[in-house]
Amino acid sequence: MAKPDPKVESTYREIRIKSTLQDAKKPEIQILADVRDCGYDEEAIFAIKLALEEAMTNAVKHGNCNNPDKNITVRFAVDNYMVAICVRDEGCGFTPEEIPDCTDEDRISLPNGRGIMLIRAYMDDVEYRSDGREIFMTKRNKKKRPHEPS
Amino acid sequence: MPVDHITVTKNDGVSLVEFNDRKILDELSIRELGEQLREVADGPNVRVLLNFQNVEHLSSAALGMLITLDKLIKEQKGKLKLSNINQQILEVFKITRLNKLFEIHDSAAQALKSF
């Protein structure tokens, strides 16, 4: 089996879980263990943890509408240079551009709608696919450059 | 039985709240935490200081809970202030511009003086 490579999606590892907030923790444990093993700094670990937490919560609550009979599929690859994570739910999807800006004056005191903004702020690249059912995000390791030996 | 997510002490009429969890991330804990904070905030003219000294992680659901708490306290003519927020979490407040909504102080002592 090929070593997972963040640049080659066919090599990603896959974790499939039941769509519950309890099970949503499982992929995070594995991914963050890999991230720590690859020597990412605390700032990057904070960012990845936060983005993953938000993506998983969105998948459970908004994607799969808290239906525990549905699944969430997480595919990921971590190396010394980059982390790539794909979270896919089984919902109806959504259009990210239609999510209102929560920093607008008239929306700032509303309690919801900040998850996507935080993911975009903390990850380097964020892409929505499959009509919003899948989020693909990456974070680069600032401590390593691709030409450096691992 | 729900876990105690906060420790509350009284200081000159201000309820000083310290978080017992380093991570305020998952929905289930946030729900329990929200209920415990609502008990502290229940009543007219309450003065509440949330000390984030122990907190290392915070999710958008936690921000939502804080906004709801702030609204409840303001409706009852009370005051909510925040202090000791570490740089990484302060950045979360800045990105979401919630540093404009909440009164944030560097230290609990400074916040207590300002009530």
Side-chain angles (χ1 to χ4, degrees), chain A residues 94-138:
Chain A
F94 76 109
T95 309
E97 296 76 30
E98 287 177 2
I99 301 291
D101 184 350
C102 60
T103 62
D104 283 349
E105 200 116 314
D106 54 339
R107 303 193 68 83
I108 191 94
S109 58
L110 296 179
N112 300 313
R114 289 172 180 81
I116 292 174
M117 168 176 260
L118 289 175
I119 293 171
R120 286 195 196 281
Y122 279 96
M123 298 302 273
D124 291 319
D125 295 298
V126 178
E127 189 185 319
Y128 283 91
R129 301 163 167 180
S130 304
D131 297 323
R133 279 185 289 275
E134 182 172 289
I135 180 171
F136 175 76
M137 50 195 182
T138 64

Side-chain angles (χ1 to χ4, degrees), chain B residues 32-93:
Chain B
E32 289 177 0
L33 172 62
E35 281 165 24
Q36 290 168 18
L37 285 173
R38 266 192 297 280
E39 280 176 31
V40 177
D42 195 23
N45 306 310
V46 290
R47 292 181 293 161
V48 180
L49 171 59
L50 303 182
N51 184 336
F52 282 78
Q53 192 169 337
N54 304 325
V55 181
E56 293 172 6
H57 285 274
L58 197 75
S59 67
S60 68
L63 295 176
M65 180 269 296
L66 291 176
I67 291 167
T68 306
L69 182 74
D70 184 53
K71 215 178 275 180
L72 172 75
I73 291 176
K74 280 177 180 158
E75 279 167 5
Q76 300 175 116
K77 312 280 183 222
K79 280 184 185 164
L80 174 68
K81 301 189 183 196
L82 280 49
S83 76
N84 302 74
I85 300 179
N86 80 26
Q87 276 308 311
Q88 282 183 323
I89 294 181
L90 192 59
E91 196 57 29
V92 172
F93 278 83

Side-chain angles (χ1 to χ4, degrees), chain A residues 2-100:
Chain A
K3 195 179 165 201
D5 178 349
K7 293 192 181 69
V8 185
E9 285 198 40
S10 58
T11 66
Y12 287 11
R13 293 171 65 186
E14 184 175 305
I15 300 176
R16 199 156 187 246
I17 56 155
K18 286 277 163 211
S19 188
T20 66
L21 290 170
Q22 286 91 338
D23 281 15
K25 297 269 157 220
K26 291 177 185 170
E28 180 186 307
I29 294 166
Q30 183 58 62
I31 293 170
L32 289 180
D34 289 359
V35 166
R36 287 198 168 91
D37 286 347
C38 287
Y40 286 71
D41 63 15
E42 283 307 313
E43 196 183 317
I45 293 169
F46 179 93
I48 295 161
K49 187 177 174 62
L50 183 65
L52 195 51
E53 182 74 30
E54 299 294 346
M56 295 302 288
T57 302
N58 282 348
V60 172
K61 281 173 69 180
H62 306 299
N64 288 342
C65 299
N66 292 310
N67 181 349
D69 295 330
K70 290 191 172 182
N71 299 297
I72 297 170
T73 306
V74 179
R75 294 183 303 116
F76 65 97
V78 182
D79 68 12
N80 291 338
Y81 313 109
M82 193 164 88
V83 178
I85 306 166
C86 223
V87 177
R88 189 183 179 92
D89 62 54
E90 295 176 350
C92 308
F94 76 109
T95 309
E97 296 76 30
E98 287 177 2
I99 301 291

